[in-house]
Amino acid sequence: MPQDTADSASGPDRPRWLGYAQLAAILAAIVVALYFARAPDRVERGATAAATTGSDKPAVRVVRPSPKAYTFTARVTGTVTLERKTRVVSQVVGRVVWVSPDFTNGGTIRANEAFIRIDPAEFEIRVRAAEMSVRAAEASLQIQKALAREGAEKFAQANPGAEIPERVRRVSPIARAEARLGRSQAALALARLQLARTTISLPYDSRVVRSDVEVGELVGPAEKVGRASVLGVVYRPGGLQVRAPVEPKDLKRFAPMVGRAARIATWSGTFDAEVVRVSSVVAARTRLASMFLNFAETTPPDTLPAPGTFAEITVTGPTRDKAFVLPEAAARDRDSVWVVRKGALTSLTPKSLGRTADGWIVEPFDAGEGVVVGVVAKAREGMQVTARAFRSPE
């Protein structure tokens, strides 16, 4: 007798086509989703333009420049350098007996201020000896002159009207005595000079780079003491200069560059300066020239920056009595601009005077209703537009 089972109670098997139908539905949903995901956004520009202009004429932003005096400036960066350094040496051989506390790295030495003294005892003795030699030579000369006068008087009495011969006038002995006196005076002057050289000073204000001398050291010229001859290194404030790269176009626009006033800003302060020379060649890698600036002579030496200091330089250039200053956004291809005249675009190429941080400097021209700033879609000569004033952001 047949028995009922669970399979017979579940009904017939599910058809296979139902699974394929579900797979097809899933694929169709994916395709639709990809289609809408890649479709471009729709932007209703017509409504915006209409709200903006109220007509078919597109609105353009313009500036209305007015001619004014403009002074060009060049802003560059550079480095404080040393044009010259001075090595301090002693011209006489002797022991150092005193060194100024200012003669140390970073110190300042005033003009004609002694900062090293060498034992003068030996040189003072030489001066006294030379003085004695001068006195002896003077006495010898006076004796010869006295003998010459006495001999001349006796000869005149014995030979009235006769010419007194040179022998009687003691011409040769007197000349030799005068020569001895001259040599003695020269020796005295040399001894005094050597004594003066035991005190070392400089005829100008200077700053100390390094000091290599101590009390008790034997110093003197290099041929006498060798390497110990260099007592230190100093530099004159006038030897400080600032070297900065400069573009050839700025040299042309600022010609002549030499003599231009400048301001130098460093961490230690701001200083007046002047361009004193320009390099005769340009750097091989950067293709830039170099200009050199000196600090004003009235600047206190103690306030000047140290060599190697970074500097920002502003050079004052020529002044144009009349010029337009345009925003860079006004420039088109080949430095032309769009000008609005009688409601239509007109292309114009002004004469460029240069570009600075203030904008594009050009010679004045007829700007009509304004110079267009920014990009105008599908702009063309004679295109009708509506000009609206442009205000640059503060």
Side-chain angles (χ1 to χ4, degrees):
M1 179 175 180
Q3 296 179 353
D4 294 335
T5 65
D7 292 337
S8 61
S10 61
D13 295 338
R14 297 174 60 186
R16 296 177 62 184
W17 61 268
L18 183 60
Y20 289 116
Q22 291 176 343
L23 181 59
I26 292 172
L27 292 175
I30 293 174
V31 172
V32 172
L34 290 175
Y35 173 78
F36 284 106
R38 300 179 60 184
D41 293 337
R42 297 175 61 192
V43 179
E44 297 294 339
R45 300 186 182 276
T48 303
T52 302
T53 65
S55 67
D56 293 338
K57 297 179 180 180
V60 294
R61 298 177 301 169
V62 299
V63 291
R64 298 180 176 89
S66 58
K68 60 181 180 181
Y70 184 83
T71 300
F72 286 92
T73 58
R75 294 178 175 88
V76 296
T77 58
T79 305
V80 180
T81 61
L82 274 177
E83 182 182 8
R84 294 177 298 273
K85 292 186 291 185
T86 301
R87 288 178 294 179
V88 179
V89 298
S90 174
Q91 294 176 284
V92 296
V93 178
R95 296 284 177 182
V96 176
V97 296
W98 177 80
V99 178
S100 170
D102 294 329
F103 188 60
T104 185
N105 188 357
T108 299
I109 306 296
R110 300 299 178 187
N112 301 313
E113 174 185 319
F115 56 90
I116 296 176
R117 288 197 180 97
I118 298 169
D119 187 359
E122 178 182 348
F123 300 94
E124 290 173 345
I125 295 173
R126 292 179 182 178
V127 169
R128 288 198 296 271
E131 289 174 344
M132 294 302 101
S133 297
V134 169
R135 291 181 183 179
E138 288 176 341
S140 176
L141 178 60
Q142 293 301 324
I143 292 172
Q144 294 298 329
K145 288 183 177 179
L147 292 174
R149 285 195 298 271
E150 182 180 353
E153 290 176 357
K154 291 181 179 179
F155 183 86
Q157 292 176 358
N159 305 282
E163 182 181 356
I164 302 174
E166 292 184 356
R167 177 179 57 81
V168 175
R169 289 187 287 119
R170 305 186 68 82
V171 173
S172 295
I174 290 175
R176 287 194 295 269
E178 288 176 341
R180 284 194 296 271
L181 175 60
R183 288 195 298 270
S184 298
Q185 290 173 336
L188 174 60
L190 180 59
R192 287 173 174 170
L193 178 61
Q194 295 290 80
L195 176 61
R197 287 173 174 173
T198 60
T199 299
I200 299 178
S201 63
L202 293 170
Y204 48 79
D205 292 343
S206 58
R207 296 186 69 182
V208 182
V209 177
R210 75 172 192 267
S211 173
D212 299 319
V213 62
E214 291 289 345
V215 172
E217 284 191 59
L218 181 66
V219 299
E223 60 270 16
K224 299 291 185 179
V225 299
R227 295 182 179 179
S229 62
V230 179
L231 309 182
V233 177
V234 303
Y235 65 86
R236 184 170 54 88
L240 272 180
Q241 62 181 10
V242 176
R243 179 174 183 169
V246 59
E247 295 187 13
K249 66 178 182 180
D250 286 335
L251 291 177
K252 181 178 180 181
R253 187 167 72 238
F254 282 47
M257 178 65 82
V258 174
R260 295 286 181 188
R263 295 281 287 173
I264 298 175
T266 68
W267 66 269
S268 60
T270 303
F271 309 90
D272 292 328
E274 180 183 348
V275 181
V276 294
R277 69 180 188 278
V278 176
S279 63
S280 57
V281 297
V282 297
R285 292 185 178 180
T286 63
R287 299 300 178 185
L288 298 177
S290 294
M291 62 179 175
F292 300 87
L293 302 94
N294 281 355
F295 293 94
E297 294 182 357
T298 56
T299 306
D302 293 340
T303 65
L304 290 173
T309 302
F310 175 81
E312 296 179 342
I313 304 106
T314 302
V315 181
T316 303
T319 298
R320 298 287 301 217
D321 293 334
K322 292 182 179 180
F324 280 172
V325 181
L326 303 178
E328 280 292 342
R332 298 172 52 240
D333 295 340
R334 299 181 181 179
D335 282 347
S336 63
V337 296
W338 284 120
V339 176
V340 179
R341 291 177 181 166
K342 297 181 180 180
L345 293 180
T346 300
S347 179
L348 185 144
T349 302
K351 183 177 180 180
S352 178
L353 301 177
R355 282 176 163 81
T356 69
D358 299 321
W360 181 22
I361 316 302
V362 300
E363 285 192 353
F365 58 88
D366 182 6
E369 300 163 37
V371 179
V372 176
V373 177
V375 178
V376 180
K378 300 180 180 180
R380 63 186 183 279
E381 187 78 18
M383 178 180 175
Q384 295 293 312
V385 294
T386 300
R388 293 194 173 181
F390 168 71
R391 292 184 180 180
S392 60
E394 297 295 336

